[in-house]
Amino acid sequence: MSDKPTQPAQTVQPTQSTRRTLGEVSEREVIQAITDAAPSVINGDDAAVLFPGQPNSRTVVATDTLVEGRHFRLDWSSPEEVGQKAILQNFADIEAMGARPTAALLSLSAPPETPLEVVRGIAAGIGTRARRYTAELVGGDVTKSNQLIVTITAVGSLGGSRSPLTLDRARAGQQLVAHGRLGWSAAGLALLERFGRADIPRELTSLVDAHCAPWLSPNRGMIARAAGASAMTDNSDGLLRELQLLCQRSGVGIDLDSAALAPDDLLVHAGQVLGVDPWDWVLGGGEDHTLLATTAKSAPSGFRRIGDITAGTKSAQHNVCMDATPIQHSAANQGWESFQ
Amino acid sequence: MSDKPTQPAQTVQPTQSTRRTLGEVSEREVIQAITDAAPSVINGDDAAVLFPGQPNSRTVVATDTLVEGRHFRLDWSSPEEVGQKAILQNFADIEAMGARPTAALLSLSAPPETPLEVVRGIAAGIGTRARRYTAELVGGDVTKSNQLIVTITAVGSLGGSRSPLTLDRARAGQQLVAHGRLGWSAAGLALLERFGRADIPRELTSLVDAHCAPWLSPNRGMIARAAGASAMTDNSDGLLRELQLLCQRSGVGIDLDSAALAPDDLLVHAGQVLGVDPWDWVLGGGEDHTLLATTAKSAPSGFRRIGDITAGTKSAQHNVCMDATPIQHSAANQGWESFQ
């Protein structure tokens, strides 16, 4: 993760002109602020016509939404971080098929009292992150609502003739490999809930950054597909929950390696500060969008082995073990529920 | 429009089991209700891998959002109608490029007290309309919010080597042609505001239907492109506003033909009932998503001539005339503003 850009929470110093709200400017100005912050030559007509893909490439699409107060808080995250997170979580879904993200659309719903500067910041975060993938914000829609809601639709390109890396293609005998942190986002959220953003202990700020603007090295999904991975997903809702779904879809079991997953020093320290078992974050925490792949070959570049795929059945309730022992951890029965 | 299906407002007769709310069921049940109502074999993984397009075809994408209380009311529209309208307005954007709609993604944000039956109805409306285009709901996302918000992203395929029908390709000497009603949706909204859905005068219900679930004959955009149309848009925000944008992008003027646009008997009658000049609806009303194209050839099948493209400049403020006279109508200076 050495190429992770530094992402401090931005302290916006609004001038008179940037303090204007969406209700005070025309729709055209709102759209202009977005396209200035995340420009693309193919944005601005009824629909965006994407650049032609490679011959025989297929189009891959996914959508994911961030709701203020539910998935982010603007006293914890800067608008730029919200935009970055929105891109990362959507592009991770494209990458998890082994495809290359190429474009994004933004549907932004916001109350009229939202400062234009917030919209500009979200668009800047989207533009910055999309460019890391040589992707562009190619279209979108703005609407008035009671709550700030950021919906991104990601578009990708799946080249070549290999299968996409679907959830049903894990096979016993493969190893389970991961690209990205596990547990950092959940630890960051716990720290924010205890301290707020301003009072986070200095040595733990990387965990909070990992929550507010998680980072993955671009195009690792495509690399894994080229290197022979067969199934892949990303960690949105918690490691055990994601792996259970993979097991059910593929009819396999998983044996995790506790040594490979053991919480690092930072998670252990945060656990001590908060009085929490850091394994809770590793096994139950989602939102880091870490790529989880299965492969019969060696771990693709940027991935590390975290376990093995074992024999199993689609109907088994709990097919995930650690060190050959069934996991009793409460995270095995929990996970993110959208409407609770 | 003889193939328009009848779309009565559905009177849901909930059984005990269908009265459950989103907060009372698991996220899995919500997603299952959606995929049962709008099934697709390529839905259900991290992202959807679309069927391969024709050789050399390009992918076209657009997104549009409906917010409860802003774009629809559930005492005026059935959930099925909301889903139908969400598909129509997004697919019209794909069609307006001359492309063929192939897939849709749904991002649904809803309060936990929303009945599951409402979600099922929206998804059924999406599925019904998408099938008319041989398109499918291929993915999506559900989240908790304060307000019911339906965001659709539409995906289409642009085959062959002709240019897409962008806003900047109108040329003087072409004729302006339209497919679809003009003014009916706005008249329907005015009727709903006066009478509510239950008390609409019987002879005027088609206008209300045109507002709640507007209808276009599928694939007219692709037909127009094949027949030599060069520019196209759809009427989202009002006829004069859309045409002014077309003029500015193309650097042309437009001379509308009053005989071709004159309000039909139903609009005239609704105008008498409400004490409104029906020209307001024709010139200022949007949301019918009528396709507006320019062509140097004869009107494509399903399109009728409504005016001519004349010489003009990109900087002209008002380039739209009627019968060679500048339009003084107030609709020329109005239009839909998202945050007012």
Side-chain angles (χ1 to χ4, degrees), chain A residues 27 65 107 146-147 153 337, chain B residues 27 65 107 146-147 153 337:
Chain A
E27 178 179 335
T65 292
S107 175
N146 296 340
Q147 208 173 2
T153 300
E337 278 284 339
Chain B
E27 178 179 336
T65 293
S107 175
N146 297 339
Q147 208 172 2
T153 300
E337 278 284 340

Side-chain angles (χ1 to χ4, degrees), chain A residues 162 165-167 169-179 220-233 243 246 250 252-254 291-310:
Chain A
R162 285 179 197 263
L165 306 182
T166 46
L167 287 162
R169 298 183 69 249
R171 296 293 176 264
Q174 294 181 322
Q175 55 177 338
L176 177 69
V177 298
H179 167 72
R220 291 291 155 186
M222 193 169 59
I223 288 168
R225 178 164 171 259
S230 67
M232 200 184 308
T233 191
L243 294 181
L246 185 76
S250 291
V252 298
I254 285 177
L291 297 176
L292 305 163
T294 75
T295 182
K297 305 197 175 174
S298 52
S301 167
F303 286 76
R304 66 191 182 279
R305 176 184 162 280
I306 62 170
D308 299 299
I309 309 301
T310 59

Side-chain angles (χ1 to χ4, degrees), chain B residues 19-20 27 67 71 129 141 152 162 200-201 215 223 250 300 316 334 339:
Chain B
R19 293 180 69 111
R20 292 177 306 160
E27 178 179 336
V67 178
H71 304 102
R129 270 299 170 95
D141 179 44
I152 292 283
R162 283 179 198 265
I200 298 290
W215 172 258
I223 288 168
S250 290
Q334 294 168 353
F339 293 99

Side-chain angles (χ1 to χ4, degrees), chain A residues 62-117:
Chain A
T63 190
D64 231 330
T65 292
L66 294 174
V67 178
E68 184 177 14
R70 177 88 178 147
H71 303 102
F72 68 89
R73 287 171 49 166
L74 286 177
D75 54 337
W76 287 352
S77 297
S78 71
E80 288 77 4
E81 288 173 328
V82 173
Q84 291 176 24
K85 186 169 186 164
I87 285 293
L88 182 100
Q89 70 173 15
N90 276 282
F91 281 10
D93 285 332
I94 300 294
E95 294 239 40
M97 304 303 275
R100 184 171 66 84
T102 55
L105 297 115
L106 166 66
S107 175
L108 183 88
S109 298
E113 61 270 21
T114 307
L116 182 59
E117 201 54 33

Side-chain angles (χ1 to χ4, degrees), chain B:
Chain B
M1 312 226 173
S2 57
D3 52 348
K4 175 176 176 174
T6 50
Q7 310 290 358
Q10 303 269 334
T11 309
V12 176
Q13 300 288 353
T15 64
Q16 207 57 23
S17 70
T18 62
R19 293 180 69 111
R20 292 177 306 160
T21 66
L22 302 192
E24 292 165 354
V25 303
S26 69
E27 178 179 336
R28 181 177 292 210
E29 282 176 274
V30 178
I31 293 171
Q32 190 70 46
I34 293 171
T35 53
D36 284 352
S40 168
V41 294
I42 56 177
N43 197 347
D45 216 295
D46 284 311
V49 179
L50 303 183
F51 294 110
Q54 294 171 272
N56 299 317
S57 63
R58 280 168 287 172
T59 299
V60 183
V61 287
T63 190
D64 232 329
T65 293
L66 293 175
V67 178
E68 184 177 13
R70 178 88 178 145
H71 304 102
F72 68 89
R73 287 172 47 166
L74 286 177
D75 55 337
W76 287 354
S77 297
S78 70
E80 287 78 4
E81 288 173 328
V82 173
Q84 290 175 24
K85 186 170 187 166
I87 285 293
L88 181 100
Q89 69 172 17
N90 277 282
F91 280 9
D93 285 332
I94 299 295
E95 295 239 39
M97 304 302 275
R100 186 172 64 84
T102 55
L105 296 116
L106 166 67
S107 175
L108 183 90
S109 298
E113 60 271 22
T114 307
L116 182 59
E117 201 56 31
V118 167
V119 172
R120 202 190 308 272
I122 291 170
I126 288 170
T128 303
R129 270 299 170 95
R131 277 192 295 278
R132 291 260 166 179
Y133 295 77
T134 55
E136 290 179 359
L137 182 70
V138 299
D141 179 44
V142 292
T143 51
K144 184 162 93 168
S145 64
N146 297 339
Q147 208 172 2
L148 181 58
I149 299 182
V150 179
T151 298
I152 292 283
T153 300
V155 185
S157 177
L158 186 77
S161 55
R162 283 179 198 265
S163 296
L165 307 181
T166 46
L167 286 162
D168 57 1
R169 298 183 71 250
R171 297 292 176 265
Q174 294 181 322
Q175 56 176 337
L176 177 68
V177 297
H179 166 73
R181 309 283 192 188
L182 286 165
W184 279 39
S185 176
L189 176 60
L191 288 164
L192 286 167
E193 285 170 342
R194 172 76 65 89
F195 296 109
R197 181 91 184 216
D199 299 318
I200 298 290
R202 192 181 181 81
E203 71 279 12
L204 295 174
T205 52
S206 334
L207 299 176
V208 172
D209 294 343
H211 175 75
C212 295
W215 172 258
L216 294 171
S217 202
N219 295 325
R220 290 291 156 188
M222 193 167 62
I223 288 168
R225 179 165 170 257
S230 68
M232 200 185 309
T233 190
D234 74 305
N235 181 21
S236 301
D237 297 340
L239 180 65
L240 291 186
R241 188 177 164 104
E242 300 289 356
L243 294 181
Q244 279 165 9
L245 184 63
L246 185 76
C247 288
Q248 285 161 13
R249 292 287 182 87
S250 290
V252 297
I254 286 177
D255 186 28
L256 294 172
D257 179 344
S258 67
L261 282 175
D264 57 33
D265 291 350
L266 212 53
L267 286 180
V268 170
H269 178 46
Q272 285 163 346
V273 168
L274 295 175
V276 171
D277 178 356
W279 276 102
D280 291 358
W281 298 323
V282 172
L283 298 176
E287 285 195 278
D288 48 36
H289 302 286
T290 288
L291 297 176
L292 304 163
T294 75
T295 181
K297 305 196 175 174
S298 52
S301 167
F303 287 76
R304 66 191 182 278
R305 176 183 162 282
I306 60 169
D308 298 299
I309 310 300
T310 59
T313 63
K314 292 194 182 192
S315 56
Q317 274 294 313
H318 296 293
N319 356 38
V320 184
C321 295
M322 191 181 302
D323 304 333
T325 308
I327 294 182
Q328 301 300 329
H329 195 277
S330 64
N333 301 310
Q334 294 168 353
W336 178 261
E337 278 284 340
S338 284
F339 293 99
Q340 317 291 281

